[in-house]
Amino acid sequence: MAPPQKTTKKLNAASSRKGQVASLPLLVEIGTEEIPTTLLPQALQDLALLSEALFSDCRLNYKQIRTIGTSRRLALMVDGVQSKQLSLSQQITGPPKSAAFDASGSPTKAAQGFAKSQGVSVEELTLKETPKGLYLTAEKYQRGESAKKVLTSSLPVYLAKLIFSKAMRWNNSQTKFARPIRWIAVILGHQVLKIEFAGLISGGVTWGHRYFRIKGKKGAQNVSLSNAANYIATMKKLGVLVDPDERRAEITSQIGKLAKLGKGEIDPLYRQELIDEAVWGVEHPHAILGTFQKEFLTLPKPVLISSMKEHQGFLSLVGNDGGLLPKFIAITNTPWGNTKLITKGNERVLSARLKDAQYFFLEDQKQPLHERVQALEGIIFHHKLGTMRQKVERVQELAGWMALRLGQNNISDLCHRAGLLSKADLTTGMVGEFPSLQGVMGEEYARHDGEPQEVCLAIGEHYLPRFPDDSLPTSSPGLLVACADRCDSIASFFSVGMVPTGSEDPLGLRRAAYGLVRIVSETALRLNLVEMFEQMIQILTKQGVGQGHPQTVSEIMGFIMDRLRFYGRTTMGLRDDVMEAVIRVRPHGTADVGDLLSRMRAVQSMVGLDDFETLMVGFKRAHRIVEKERWNQTGVNPERFQHESESRLFQVFEKAQQEVSHGVATGDYAGVLKSLLTFKSAIDEFFATVLVNDPESAIRENRLSLLTAIDRLFLNIADFSCIQSASTDVG
Amino acid sequence: MTFQEIILSLQQFWKSHDCIISQPYDTEKGAGTFNPATFLRAIGPEPWRSAYIEPCRRPTDGRYGDNPNRLQHYFQYQVVLKPAPADPQDLYLQSLSHLGLDPYQHDIQFLQDDWESPTLGAWGLGWEVRLDGMEITQFTYFQEVGSLEMNPVTVELTYGLERIAMYLQEVDSVYDLLWTENVRYGELYHESEVQWSIYNFEVADINLLQSSFDRYEQECQQLLEHPRGLVLPAYDCCMKCSHFFNVLDARGAISVAQRTGYIGRVRNLARKCAQAYFEQREGMGFPLLHKKNQSPRAKVRKKR
């Protein structure tokens, strides 16, 4: 075992004799093949952080670090790099004298080991007086090296730390990077540094924009950078806007002008997303305005948007009335090309896509949705769970039942209908082509078929929320079908034992449960989830699908409670112990998520208050006694009280009991907590003045019953014994 | 430029860049990657540069000849370069120039494409290349093939010939493409699209396909264990299975859950073939390893 070592360090700026130390700009450009746009912002951030680490680890001072780039180059620009590294003197304390030398005064193994570990000979070690006595000490001095030398050896090490979520190899170096690196330029001041990385040796040469011809230059379009300053300006001369902010400004201004020219405005829906994509996708943006045939405007807007945005990355234009114009803006990567030709090409691609979409749209409408339900028999939901046809039958039945159960008899039929038609659009050509339009097309086609307004909306909305912070359905039938659909997925997979394990969610059940939690907690739906899942299991059993067993519902509830915990933690900042305390006392046979959350919030608002902490000390003492004695009687006989503190506690109990039952009935949990707080001094006084374990059993039993009654009263809202105390360990 | 001139132009271009002009493989396949000239040759350390046209079958893409952009049988132009050279993008852009698509006139973008073939146990990173917004080529650095890590890495270029031709000839329907000055693509292939769509979607005998899948799977396994090392015939069986699966899929005979199962079975065969091929070549001392000038002429001489 190495002896404990203490190190004192002293950094010294290199002496400035001969005027050696200068302040220089550094440029590192990593030239690549096109790096995916989604990886670039992170890569530039990481590059900046790694550079900071490099400069600090290498004792090199600098003024400022900046990283910029495009899909074809990551550039690190550092201002004011000191041309010399700081020197370092270190004193490292080793073993004490007594352990360092043997009786004969020769160095021991410990001394030798220490010398070896410090890379010095034993003779070079000195003894140093410390408050604890004499200790062996190694003095080390590292002279500051030139920045050139330090950077040449360190840059490859730090560049190798740049990692990507998806990386590849391409040459013998076996380096992993987002895409192949093709050149590296490193310049410190005016000096080219030769570093070795990814099988390449750096130089001072860069390449300009792929499609920019340098005047008078033939062959390879590479250029020597003469110095590290003016990089941005130099690249501009080579056709590259290397600063992303400049590209963004350029794009914004160009598309603004084109929108005006097209007598419209950029559709705000995906504007930002598409601009971001373009900023990182091109080295020199050039926006073009294209058109498509007016006849395609009869297609639903989501279809047009999908064709333009998802497939082509086009921005769409809207007119004064907010409707789409038959125009689009594409952001190309070349201002030097033949704009007319490029525009025509983009128009043709979009036109072909829209023609496809139009074909599907017209074909799909030839068969009404309700006739398509039959065809869902051909789509397997899951091989253990039958077809989509069977699924919609279950969803339909449950959604209708839920409406009745909630007393919303008037919408039961609508829910039933919407449930039946909810997945029918899966059989349409359009959804086959654009899977992201599921639901959207169902709603569209249902309107065309003349289905009731609420049914159409519910079909479209029942997929909401699609992702954690997506919006929720707006209509009651939409909400109920959304719940029924999720309930069906969860219950059916659980009933065949396909329960999510680990962190994976291949069947989307966690997402489904989370959506369910959000719907029932953020809307006025007061659904009893236990009842709902019991009903679902019955429906499954009736259909002969799965083997629902009595345990299934409680397993499902455990799974839902897990999602509830996640939801409470991430969106409301609820503590795990608080949530656990409330979930533990959840009345058997019901699960009203909204109610559980109100309880949790009420409990959490008290936790940490001094009064509450004090109360908890008394409560937990009472709880432990009751638990230890396994006492289960609550009949208290006031005549057996021996001490005033007993009667006082009983009085507080009787009053609180009324308030608690009223509070629980009305959902006024803040009130409940407030009345529980009234126990604080009474409990303390009780324990201070009486001994529960009275020798006379009648007195003892009466006290136990009082404590048990109080314990049960607290359990009405939460199992407070799970709550971690702020100051003391609960034990 | 006619369709056949496009093919000839690419053949000429890649021949001049030291590629062996391979031939289409005579078994049905969904993509040029399945051709042993790509799938098997990508495996192991032996250098390999090859280019070829490949007719591909994707039964589910059939549209009875009604859709101007979609075919169940179409042509890819495939280029594989191992080890990946230092300038594959430049080479590629030069090949477009050779076709008359001047990169300085057009907007050519390389958009992220993480390629994966679950049936081949293969994946790679690269791009789809867009010419004025139209996808014309897939460009991939293979990372794994048959679940074997690539070393050295092969780069694969797959040109969508019909797309490129439609652009060059400025036609909106694939059937209007000029194959020669006088004969259109539609005249050669429209009837085939109609008949094969009917067959794939409506008529193909499901039982025959299923049992063929099973039997070729079995055959593949047996060949792999054959004492005389019949790796190449085994790989043919693997390709057959992949094709039968594709037809079954088009025929609507495969449920969502079964899908993964079938794909896994083909992948299993592909993996075993890849492994066996590697071992076999290793046993032969990787014969192409030290062939410095791997040119078409050298290849022809050897065959004689």
Side-chain angles (χ1 to χ4, degrees):
Chain A
M1 200 173 69
Q5 292 174 0
K6 201 182 121 213
T7 309
T8 54
K9 290 185 183 179
K10 203 172 158 206
L11 295 170
N12 291 308
S15 66
S16 58
R17 73 198 141 98
K18 294 184 204 163
Q20 293 158 312
V21 177
S23 173
L24 301 167
L26 169 73
L27 168 73
V28 179
E29 186 192 54
I30 304 171
T32 63
E33 295 181 354
E34 279 77 350
I35 292 179
T37 54
T38 47
L39 303 179
L40 276 167
Q42 184 69 44
L44 289 178
Q45 235 178 61
D46 291 351
L47 182 60
L49 290 174
L50 286 169
S51 312
E52 278 170 28
L54 181 154
F55 281 92
S56 128
D57 295 352
C58 294
R59 311 193 307 276
L60 268 179
N61 282 341
Y62 65 93
K63 277 208 201 81
Q64 202 195 354
I65 286 180
R66 189 177 173 208
T67 52
I68 53 177
T70 69
S71 55
R72 281 189 77 211
R73 60 199 82 227
L74 305 176
L76 163 68
M77 301 193 299
V78 190
D79 266 358
V81 178
Q82 296 296 296
S83 61
K84 227 170 175 180
Q85 184 187 33
L86 299 176
S87 64
L88 173 72
S89 4
Q90 277 177 293
Q91 276 190 358
I92 302 140
T93 309
K97 188 187 173 194
S98 56
F101 299 98
D102 60 19
S104 64
S106 311
T108 59
K109 278 215 168 118
Q112 286 165 3
F114 173 63
K116 196 177 170 196
S117 73
Q118 294 309 313
V120 296
S121 64
V122 180
E123 292 74 39
E124 286 173 81
L125 299 173
T126 54
L127 280 170
K128 219 174 162 189
E129 187 64 50
T130 76
K132 286 194 251 167
L134 277 173
Y135 273 75
L136 208 55
T137 304
E139 301 252 2
K140 292 205 319 191
Y141 177 76
Q142 277 175 273
R143 211 166 62 97
E145 302 273 9
S146 72
K148 179 186 170 189
K149 195 167 169 191
V150 174
L151 287 170
T152 306
S153 63
S154 302
L155 271 171
V157 179
Y158 285 80
L159 289 180
K161 293 181 184 177
L162 204 53
I163 53 167
F164 296 87
S165 56
K166 217 163 189 186
M168 56 169 282
R169 297 169 297 114
W170 66 96
N171 65 11
N172 267 337
S173 74
Q174 305 296 335
T175 306
K176 284 191 167 186
F177 217 72
R179 290 294 183 275
I181 300 176
R182 293 304 179 196
W183 76 87
I184 303 170
V186 184
I187 302 182
L188 180 64
H190 290 275
Q191 205 170 17
V192 171
L193 305 192
K194 279 199 158 62
I195 71 161
E196 214 182 313
F197 180 61
L200 296 167
I201 308 254
S202 67
V205 172
T206 186
W207 266 256
H209 191 292
R210 221 195 265 290
Y211 311 121
F212 176 75
R213 264 193 257 245
I214 304 166
K215 269 201 184 114
K217 192 171 162 79
K218 283 189 179 153
Q221 301 285 302
N222 53 345
V223 167
S224 288
L225 292 162
S226 53
N227 67 66
N230 304 329
Y231 171 64
I232 295 180
T234 310
M235 291 320 295
K236 202 172 289 180
K237 286 187 198 143
L238 300 177
V240 179
L241 302 185
V242 71
D243 180 353
D245 293 339
E246 195 176 345
R247 292 196 300 277
R248 185 178 301 274
E250 190 63 37
I251 290 171
T252 312
S253 130
Q254 288 183 14
I255 63 176
K257 278 183 206 151
L258 287 183
K260 214 167 164 188
L261 191 69
K263 297 192 176 62
E265 286 192 30
I266 308 284
D267 188 352
L269 197 53
Y270 297 105
R271 183 178 182 276
Q272 206 49 46
E273 193 184 327
L274 289 166
I275 291 177
D276 282 344
E277 175 80 18
V279 163
W280 296 109
V282 301
E283 292 215 281
H284 198 134
H286 181 66
I288 55 166
L289 177 66
T291 57
F292 57 86
Q293 294 92 312
K294 276 202 188 89
E295 53 171 294
F296 291 129
L297 288 175
T298 52
L299 285 168
K301 188 173 170 184
V303 173
L304 289 165
I305 301 261
S306 282
S307 304
M308 286 190 267
K309 177 201 168 247
E310 280 174 37
H311 288 290
Q312 300 303 128
F314 293 165
L315 293 145
S316 34
L317 291 185
V318 290
N320 294 331
D321 57 352
L324 282 180
L325 298 176
K327 294 170 185 172
F328 66 89
I329 292 176
I331 296 158
T332 74
N333 186 25
T334 171
W336 312 286
N338 181 338
T339 299
K340 225 168 139 184
L341 191 71
I342 294 171
T343 308
K344 204 173 127 198
N346 279 283
E347 286 173 343
R348 279 187 51 202
V349 177
L350 180 61
S351 169
R353 288 218 176 272
L354 293 177
K355 221 174 266 175
D356 260 10
Q358 191 178 42
Y359 170 80
F360 288 131
F361 191 57
L362 295 176
E363 281 300 302
D364 288 346
Q365 286 177 340
K366 289 182 184 162
Q367 193 184 16
L369 273 189
H370 66 89
E371 280 180 20
R372 291 179 174 275
V373 174
Q374 187 69 33
L376 289 173
E377 269 172 15
I379 302 180
I380 303 287
F381 172 49
H382 187 272
H383 72 288
K384 289 184 179 169
L385 295 167
T387 65
M388 283 307 257
R389 170 77 198 264
Q390 287 172 293
K391 180 178 171 75
V392 296
E393 275 169 10
R394 300 192 296 266
V395 169
Q396 157 186 48
E397 188 174 341
L398 187 71
W401 174 87
M402 280 160 65
L404 294 177
R405 198 72 191 86
L406 289 166
Q408 303 186 19
N409 300 20
N410 53 331
I411 63 163
S412 177
D413 286 348
L414 296 171
C415 291
H416 210 256
R417 182 75 179 168
L420 176 74
L421 301 179
S422 60
K423 308 289 178 191
D425 64 354
L426 295 181
T427 69
T428 64
M430 189 75 89
V431 174
E433 185 69 7
F434 300 96
S436 68
L437 292 180
Q438 64 177 10
V440 175
M441 290 323 296
E443 179 175 349
E444 196 68 43
Y445 292 143
R447 280 219 168 89
H448 175 263
D449 296 347
E451 296 288 342
Q453 175 62 22
E454 296 90 332
V455 170
C456 304
L457 191 58
I459 294 171
E461 286 187 337
H462 88 280
Y463 283 106
L464 302 178
R466 287 191 176 86
F467 46 90
D469 49 0
D470 197 8
S471 51
L472 298 182
T474 56
S475 67
S476 292
L479 286 167
L480 293 184
V481 177
C483 283
D485 184 21
R486 286 164 177 78
C487 176
D488 173 71
S489 295
I490 297 167
S492 49
F493 281 109
F494 268 73
S495 73
V496 293
M498 297 187 64
V499 179
T501 53
S503 59
E504 284 182 17
D505 189 23
L507 305 166
L509 296 187
R510 282 206 179 85
R511 189 160 28 101
Y514 189 78
L516 199 54
V517 166
R518 274 198 59 203
I519 290 173
V520 291
S521 59
E522 292 172 26
T523 68
L525 273 193
R526 297 298 296 266
L527 273 174
N528 177 349
L529 294 186
V530 172
E531 211 181 66
M532 182 173 83
F533 278 105
E534 277 168 355
Q535 182 67 21
M536 191 73 240
I537 297 284
Q538 267 186 36
I539 295 172
L540 275 162
T541 313
K542 199 168 70 188
Q543 242 188 22
V545 174
Q547 294 92 42
H549 49 88
Q551 283 305 303
T552 309
V553 173
S554 70
E555 276 172 37
I556 291 172
M557 290 322 297
F559 178 67
I560 301 275
M561 289 303 132
D562 227 42
R563 290 298 92 194
L564 176 63
R565 286 188 189 94
F566 179 75
Y567 176 76
R569 186 161 56 235
T570 52
T571 66
M572 298 175 171
L574 290 173
R575 288 168 40 159
D576 285 338
D577 57 345
V578 168
M579 292 192 283
E580 182 59 30
V582 171
I583 287 171
R584 274 209 194 170
V585 303
R586 177 170 66 83
H588 185 72
T590 72
D592 178 340
V593 166
D595 183 67
L596 290 176
L597 286 167
S598 317
R599 287 168 185 245
M600 291 169 183
R601 276 197 298 246
V603 173
Q604 180 145 330
S605 69
M606 288 291 169
V607 172
L609 299 182
D610 285 347
D611 281 358
F612 181 80
E613 294 291 325
T614 321
L615 169 68
M616 278 302 105
V617 175
F619 164 76
K620 281 174 182 169
R621 189 166 169 189
H623 181 76
R624 276 198 299 271
I625 293 171
V626 171
E627 244 186 7
K628 192 176 146 214
E629 298 290 335
R630 297 201 182 145
W631 198 254
N632 55 12
Q633 291 168 39
T634 51
V636 178
N637 183 354
E639 284 168 17
R640 296 216 173 111
F641 288 152
Q642 300 297 302
H643 201 279
E644 196 191 332
S645 68
E646 286 175 276
S647 350
R648 268 221 29 221
L649 184 58
F650 188 59
Q651 278 165 20
V652 172
F653 167 74
E654 286 193 306
K655 182 158 175 279
Q657 193 175 31
Q658 280 185 9
E659 289 169 357
V660 168
S661 72
H662 176 76
V664 168
T666 57
D668 173 19
Y669 298 112
V672 171
L673 265 295
K674 217 166 128 195
S675 65
L676 291 184
L677 270 184
T678 58
F679 278 99
K680 188 186 63 137
S681 51
I683 279 197
D684 287 351
E685 205 187 305
F686 174 83
F687 283 122
T689 49
V690 306
L691 208 62
V692 178
N693 257 335
D694 195 273
E696 198 176 314
S697 70
I699 294 175
R700 172 176 169 269
E701 286 168 6
N702 198 44
R703 284 177 185 161
L704 279 175
S705 297
L706 176 59
L707 291 182
T708 307
I710 292 169
D711 192 42
R712 299 241 168 119
L713 184 65
F714 274 67
L715 282 176
N716 264 302
I717 176 150
D719 180 350
F720 288 95
S721 67
C722 322
I723 293 178
Q724 309 280 310
S725 149
S727 46
T728 52
D729 189 23
V730 181
Chain B
M1 203 181 247
T2 62
F3 198 78
Q4 65 187 22
E5 280 165 352
I6 292 171
I7 297 169
L8 290 171
S9 159
L10 287 171
Q11 300 274 53
Q12 200 60 43
F13 178 85
W14 289 106
K15 172 191 156 277
S16 73
H17 284 89
D18 293 336
C19 282
I20 290 168
I21 302 302
S22 299
Q23 298 303 321
Y25 200 66
D26 59 349
T27 284
E28 308 91 332
K29 71 206 76 62
T33 313
F34 279 83
N35 187 319
T38 293
F39 180 79
L40 293 178
R41 294 290 184 185
I43 294 164
E46 295 167 89
W48 181 251
R49 288 170 77 92
S50 183
Y52 54 92
I53 186 167
E54 189 69 63
C56 302
R57 300 194 190 207
R58 302 221 170 143
T60 45
D61 281 349
R63 293 290 183 271
Y64 296 87
D66 289 340
N67 186 304
N69 297 303
R70 224 171 282 198
L71 304 164
Q72 56 81 40
H73 175 282
Y74 65 104
F75 296 93
Q76 289 182 342
Y77 194 82
Q78 174 90 352
V79 180
V80 280
L81 307 170
K82 177 174 83 166
D87 58 349
Q89 286 182 310
D90 289 343
L91 279 177
Y92 168 73
L93 290 172
Q94 284 171 34
S95 77
L96 291 188
S97 295
H98 199 69
L99 286 174
L101 293 165
D102 179 2
Y104 293 96
Q105 291 287 302
H106 295 273
D107 177 42
I108 299 172
Q109 296 193 27
F110 291 82
L111 302 186
Q112 166 182 17
D113 187 28
D114 300 349
W115 175 82
E116 192 184 6
S117 167
T119 41
L120 288 178
W123 71 276
L125 298 185
W127 309 272
E128 57 171 71
V129 184
R130 295 234 178 139
L131 169 75
D132 300 338
M134 179 171 65
E135 183 185 353
I136 53 166
T137 303
Q138 275 187 339
F139 195 126
T140 310
Y141 290 93
F142 285 162
Q143 300 294 300
E144 275 185 20
V145 164
S147 301
L148 297 177
E149 199 163 280
M150 295 287 93
N151 190 16
V153 166
T154 297
V155 64
E156 178 200 58
L157 309 178
T158 304
Y159 299 76
L161 287 176
E162 285 83 355
R163 296 271 187 94
I164 292 173
M166 283 168 76
Y167 193 98
L168 285 170
Q169 296 184 15
E170 295 190 37
V171 299
D172 290 329
S173 167
V174 67
Y175 299 111
D176 292 337
L177 284 174
L178 292 177
W179 190 282
T180 70
E181 302 290 345
N182 303 314
V183 180
R184 287 171 197 279
Y185 194 102
E187 292 174 272
L188 296 175
Y189 288 106
H190 184 268
E191 184 56 25
S192 147
E193 283 301 311
V194 175
Q195 291 191 15
W196 279 102
S197 294
I198 297 171
Y199 173 77
N200 291 331
F201 290 127
E202 302 170 33
V203 178
D205 180 339
I206 294 175
N207 287 331
L208 174 67
L209 292 166
Q210 275 167 344
S211 66
S212 302
F213 184 101
D214 294 345
R215 294 179 66 175
Y216 272 99
E217 181 186 36
Q218 219 174 30
E219 179 84 339
C220 180
Q221 310 260 25
Q222 278 164 7
L223 291 176
L224 283 168
E225 281 158 26
H226 198 279
R228 295 169 74 182
L230 301 179
V231 177
L232 303 177
Y235 178 61
D236 265 33
C237 297
C238 169
M239 291 170 76
K240 288 275 181 207
C241 286
S242 163
H243 175 66
F244 292 135
F245 162 71
N246 288 340
V247 184
L248 279 166
D249 194 21
R251 192 72 176 81
I254 291 176
S255 72
V256 180
Q258 280 176 318
R259 239 187 116 69
T260 344
Y262 270 106
I263 291 173
R265 283 163 73 185
V266 181
R267 181 172 56 239
N268 182 38
L269 299 180
R271 274 182 186 160
K272 287 184 174 167
C273 291
Q275 185 62 39
Y277 177 79
F278 179 85
E279 285 162 12
Q280 194 166 68
R281 297 297 290 186
E282 193 178 31
M284 295 158 85
F286 296 122
L288 290 180
L289 198 52
H290 301 294
K291 245 187 161 57
K292 281 272 183 280
N293 294 315
Q294 182 218 70
S295 69
R297 202 167 299 154
K299 180 83 179 170
V300 170
R301 248 203 320 267
K302 195 186 160 204
K303 287 235 155 150
R304 276 180 195 155

